[in-house]
Structures are given as structure tokens and as C-alpha cells.
Amino acid sequence: PSQGSYLIPGLSAAGGTVAGAKLVAWCVDADNSLLESIDDGLVSLAHANVGMTVRGADRQWHTIVKLALGPPHDGQHQFLEIRCVDGRSIVLTGDHIIAGKPAEKWCVGDVLDGSSVSSITSVAERRAGDVTLEGNVDARINGFPVASMYPIKLAELLVTA
């Protein structure tokens, strides 16, 4: 998919505008975020496609209906790596929702999707992405329930515009 492939004109995943409102970054690491595809096994977000069937946070199969990839956020948005004691990890922006709350709100020792958080570190910016599944079901990325931020942020922007 191309950068901003699901976004409306004037709005991009890496920071654009809607009626003059600045878009906040709300992304996961596109190259290292893995989705489980019904046909292809584990696929990075960067290689996923609209129409692909992947496992949602509810552990059921859902179709990708929106997908965006973009360049790093030019040093303006913090990416965090969250690691759990069971070995899972994920890199995403601090305001991206994982298991019901922003990544920046998780703390070492919290139980995230059944495993204790062992570390949270700031990491270099990455190629960014976001995925929306049919019915706005949260995706399962690197084994974690991760929300699509597109409907949330778009609604906020349209209200403030």
C-alpha cells in the first residue's frame, strides 16, 4: 500500500491537516509489527494489504479495510518499545492504544494481555503504520490487542476543526 492509502485528501498518517487541525502521530512500527494472516502466516504491517484476512484481538478472523504507511515522524513523536516477560514486544507511538490504553500509560510490572511488562524504552523513529479491521475490531499485532487509531483521531479532528 502507498503512504496514506486509506486517508482522506489533506490528511496523512505522518502528520497532515483536516480543516486546519494538525494530525497527531498514532502509529505502530510498520516493518516489525506482525499480523497473522489466514493465508500467509505472519506478515509485517508493511507487507499487508487491504482485503487481507488477519486475526483480530478477539482471536477471530477479520478483513483489513483500511491501511496506512508513512515515513518516520521527523523527531516530533516518541516511539516506545514495550517488552513483556513472555518475550513479546511492540514498538508504537506513546498515544497509540494497546489493550485499552495509550502505550505511554503502561508501566513496568503492569499486566498487559496476560504478561507482565518487563521494560518500556524510548526508541528511534520507525516507518509508521496503522490498520483498521472490519467492524473496527482491534488488530492482534505481535500478539497484542492494538486499536486502529484512525477512527478515533479522525473523529477528534473533525470535532475540533
Side-chain angles (χ1 to χ4, degrees), residues 81-90 115-118 142-144:
E81 180 178 32
I82 299 176
R83 290 190 169 278
C84 289
V85 297
D86 66 3
R88 290 180 294 160
S89 67
I90 190 167
S115 184
S116 293
V117 174
S118 59
N142 292 4
F144 295 105

Side-chain angles (χ1 to χ4, degrees), residues 57-135:
D58 61 2
R59 301 187 193 283
Q60 302 299 311
W61 298 106
H62 300 276
T63 302
I64 295 174
V65 295
K66 295 175 183 150
L67 183 65
L69 296 175
H73 295 290
D74 302 325
Q76 297 177 17
H77 303 0
Q78 182 180 22
F79 275 77
L80 302 173
E81 180 178 32
I82 299 176
R83 290 190 169 278
C84 289
V85 297
D86 66 3
R88 290 180 294 160
S89 67
I90 190 167
V91 173
L92 63 172
T93 53
D95 62 345
H96 204 107
I97 305 296
I98 178 170
K101 67 182 181 181
E104 64 194 6
K105 300 294 183 185
W106 289 95
C107 298
V108 171
D110 287 349
V111 176
L112 171 56
D113 195 46
S115 184
S116 293
V117 174
S118 59
S119 67
I120 301 172
T121 54
S122 180
V123 296
E125 290 187 357
R126 313 291 170 95
R127 182 161 59 148
D130 193 27
V131 61
T132 303
L133 304 183
E134 63 184 333

